[in-house]
Amino acid sequence: MVSIDNNELRIAENSEALYKAIADDFMQRANACIAEKGIFDVALSGGNTPKKLYSLLTTEPYRSGIAWDKIRFFFGDERYLPADDPDSNYFMAHKYLFIHVPIPMQHVYMIPTHYQNPSRAAKDYADTIRELLGIGSDAIPQFDLLYLGLGTNAHTASLMPGTDLVKSYVTSPDGEDKSQITAAAWIEELNMDRITLTPPAINNSACIAFLVEGTEKAHPVWQIIEGPHDPVNCPAQLVKGEHGKLLWFLDKDSAADLKGLK
Ligand code: 6PG
């Protein structure tokens, strides 16, 4: 394990070792949290990187080593698509994880995507989070674990470069509305609406873990960890982590551009 500033880097030799490290951490963190407070609230990331993790978690020792009925699953962001669309982050988690392990489906809290107005969906999801975590209507939730991916354009969750949403959190890091924990945003380059947790909701998590693999991610990893401060164009720089270090699960390829490792 290597640290660069507030970042705790766990760099695996290869893909197999990367996902084993993440799965081992998940099992240890989940069981410790469940032993302490009886529940484990985790926010999942989307895209392709988590697929291998989710598949690994359905095998031993994880399948029988984790108290799946004590975990509540949330999502860090969602594409504004029907839940049965193959590009939905919910659909991906359902396909690779939920249907293979004994998770009570009432413990899976998908981001709604059926409203005509995506902003209504964002509000509905915020209400659901607060109700389940038992916090007030202005409070910021604290997930026990929040996974994030990293795009080749240095986005994370659905905080996309150059968007008004990201610019607003650069101008006001706590948010123009300090109680806003979710947001809807039209992403021109993707021609779709996205729903995302806001930086304050992300940053209040007890543990934030970036899951990043592959050569194509080496540059954005460098941008976020060692590059110039430029959160408008590198929105993952908005992820600070306010409760301890930022955890990075990387393979050697995605860590290749980090000078601090030389
Ligand atoms: C999404 C994700 C997004 C993702 C990154 C990395 O909905 O696409 O939430 O933030 O984590 O784009 O995606 P890959 O893992 O597919 O490279």
Side-chain angles (χ1 to χ4, degrees), residues 150-156 159-162 187 189-190 216-217 219-220 223-224 232-236:
L150 183 65
T152 52
N153 63 354
H155 84 260
T156 193
L159 301 170
M160 299 291 176
I187 310 300
E189 69 191 74
L190 299 175
E216 65 171 9
K217 302 293 178 73
H219 183 62
Q223 284 180 293
I224 305 309
V232 171
N233 294 305
C234 301

Side-chain angles (χ1 to χ4, degrees), residues 44-45 47 51 54 73 75 88-100 103 108:
L44 299 178
S45 57
K51 290 176 179 175
Y54 298 165
F73 289 95
F75 290 83
S88 153
N89 287 334
Y90 165 79
F91 182 90
M92 184 272 282
H94 185 263
K95 175 180 176 183
Y96 285 87
L97 178 60
F98 298 153
I99 57 175
H100 303 289
I103 297 171
V108 174

Side-chain angles (χ1 to χ4, degrees), residues 46-66:
N48 294 304
T49 301
K51 290 176 179 175
K52 291 182 186 174
L53 168 64
Y54 298 165
S55 294
L56 184 58
L57 288 172
T58 70
T59 67
E60 296 304 343
Y62 314 106
R63 179 181 170 74
S64 52
I66 294 170

